[in-house]
Amino acid sequence: MTKVLCVLYPDPVDGYPPKYARDTVPELSSYPDGSTLPSPKAIDFKPGELLGSVSGALGLTKFLKNRNVEFVVTSDKEGPDSQFEKELPDADVVISQPFWPAYLTAERFAKAKKLKLAITAGIGSDHVDLNAANEHNVTVAEVTYCNSISVAEHAVMQVLALVRNYLPSHDWARKGGWNIADCVSRAYDLEGMTVGVVGAGRIGKAVLERLKPFGVKLAYTQRHQLPADYEKSLGATYYPDVKELAKVVDIAVLETPLYAATRHMFNASVIASMKRGSYIVNNGRGELVDRDAIVDALNSGQLAGYAGDVWYPQPAPEDHPWRTMPHEGMTPHISGTTLSAQARYAAGTREILEDFLDDEPIRDEYIIAQGGALAGTGAKSYEVTKGQASPGSGEKA
Ligand code: NAD
């Protein structure tokens, strides 16, 4: 019997929602570049339901029962006594979400003798040691594009929240104050500022497109320069090197995958090279920046603000310094798991499982690693070095 082990975040503290704020989520016809939305043969959930927590089970319970698959869903993922660790040795498939990652370390791969497929219900498979996945010939797949726009919207919100000093001003309103001067003594207009996007992929391009109407100067860096006509339509300037980009921007928005070349891309010396009072928004991965360099730069005033939703490890410990540093606009890892996004990645996860169970090929764009090597989207997004754990995969967590 095939066994699918699924690690999801816990239900809301007040229980699984009996009803929702809205009755529907908009139906999309394709992704912005025209590529196809997830297309499973059927779904057993209503788009707009909470699917990413344990009771939602990604809407997979009925489907897997009908396919005679053992389906274990848990949020208990940490440590040797966790349910995840106990169920892993005979699991054929592991499903995990970046928001509540079941870190798949080399040690865990060694224990998971039957494992054939690791699905990321979302985007970003850095919580999987991709080198170990290749050594054990485990396929790694994710639902490419499912929440890229969700994250871009979050990034735009955080850029505005930091520059306009929104969160502290909101606090004054909640506290019963009318402290205009307190609110505005750190508030600026975004108009005229230079925003630099690091990683102009699906998320990064959507951030550039959404910020253009604000009358900002746009800059970006990534592996390959964007096509000239698209770049011109944005009015964006390309910097081949992140260090050169960092020197000219007022706001850096980080949206690259995490791997050895991007780990600690924004370290103390890059941050010191930025204009005093710059902002950083990071929804890529926590380890794209040096944790303590961010705290120091906020304390010294070199950075005017830092916001993001990605931490390391996840969930972040209660005493993580980003919870208490000044001028932050952090959220838990939520940008890619709106109810709208959940409907897409639940459908995409089902599509991957249908293909796996029917012995059909999984869409190339969903593939991160296959047949002992990076492949599909993974070959464009990550690099692995033999014998080295992928950053973020939990080896140090
Ligand atoms: P994508 O593959 O479309 O874009 C990634 C871009 O980064 C590519 O354009 C690539 O050229 C660029 N890049 C890679 N290495 C680089 C480097 N060294 N320097 C500069 N640019 C580099 O992927 P995407 O859908 O835009 O997602 C990007 C990342 O965002 C994911 O890998 C994941 O880590 C993160 N993400 C976070 C959330 C969230 O909820 N916070 C959700 C989805 C994705």
Side-chain angles (χ1 to χ4, degrees), residues 5-145:
L5 173 57
C6 182
V7 179
L8 300 178
Y9 44 79
D11 284 351
V13 286
D14 295 333
Y16 193 73
K19 62 183 175 102
Y20 294 90
R22 295 177 55 79
D23 297 328
T24 57
V25 290
E27 236 179 85
L28 307 178
S29 52
S30 68
Y31 289 122
D33 67 354
S35 60
T36 320
L37 291 162
S39 46
K41 293 190 178 103
I43 53 169
D44 298 311
F45 60 84
K46 187 168 175 280
E49 289 173 348
L50 179 62
L51 301 165
S53 76
V54 169
S55 294
L58 295 175
L60 293 169
T61 308
K62 188 174 161 203
F63 160 66
L64 291 176
K65 190 166 177 248
N66 288 344
R67 298 293 302 249
N68 200 27
V69 169
E70 184 187 353
F71 185 38
V72 178
V73 186
T74 182
S75 61
D76 181 19
K77 71 182 181 86
E78 301 298 344
D81 297 327
S82 64
Q83 195 181 352
F84 174 62
E85 195 89 23
K86 286 182 189 151
E87 302 276 1
L88 187 61
D90 61 348
D92 297 275
V93 179
V94 165
I95 304 173
S96 171
Q97 299 175 106
F99 324 104
W100 189 261
Y103 293 107
L104 273 175
T105 58
E107 208 181 33
R108 282 177 163 165
F109 272 108
K111 280 187 197 161
K113 299 276 185 234
K114 285 183 68 192
L115 192 62
K116 295 169 199 71
L117 174 64
I119 303 176
T120 301
I123 302 175
S125 297
D126 47 276
H127 62 283
V128 177
D129 183 335
L130 295 172
N131 189 45
N134 290 338
E135 274 171 18
H136 292 267
N137 200 16
V138 173
T139 297
V140 181
E142 59 184 46
V143 190
T144 300
Y145 226 146

Side-chain angles (χ1 to χ4, degrees), residues 98-99 122-126 142 144-145 147-148 151 198-204 221-224 242 254-259 261-262 265 282-285 288 309-310 333-337 377 380-382:
F99 324 104
I123 302 175
S125 297
D126 47 276
E142 59 184 46
T144 300
Y145 226 146
N147 56 15
S148 303
V151 178
V198 181
R202 295 173 185 87
I203 300 173
T221 182
Q222 67 151 356
R223 277 170 159 177
H224 309 291
V242 72
L254 317 187
E255 305 295 358
T256 65
L258 173 67
Y259 59 102
T262 59
M265 198 163 42
N282 173 17
N283 296 301
R285 282 297 178 256
L288 296 179
D309 73 331
V310 281
H333 193 165
I334 53 164
S335 64
T337 184
T377 292
K380 296 180 203 136
S381 304
Y382 296 98

Side-chain angles (χ1 to χ4, degrees), residues 38-43 63 67 347 350-351 353-355 358 360:
S39 46
K41 293 190 178 103
I43 53 169
F63 160 66
R67 298 293 302 249
R350 166 128 176 203
E351 181 186 343
L353 284 171
E354 284 176 357
D355 288 337
D358 293 340
E360 295 284 341

Side-chain angles (χ1 to χ4, degrees), residues 22 31 85 97 101 128 136 154 163 181 225 291 311 366-367:
R22 295 177 55 79
Y31 289 122
E85 195 89 23
Q97 299 175 106
V128 177
H136 292 267
H154 202 83
V163 173
Q225 190 162 0
R291 185 193 73 173
W311 309 62
Y366 289 170
I367 295 292

Side-chain angles (χ1 to χ4, degrees), residues 343-363:
R344 289 187 294 273
Y345 69 69
T349 302
R350 166 128 176 203
E351 181 186 343
I352 293 168
L353 284 171
E354 284 176 357
D355 288 337
F356 172 77
L357 294 171
D358 293 340
D359 222 4
E360 295 284 341
I362 295 166
R363 275 201 223 188

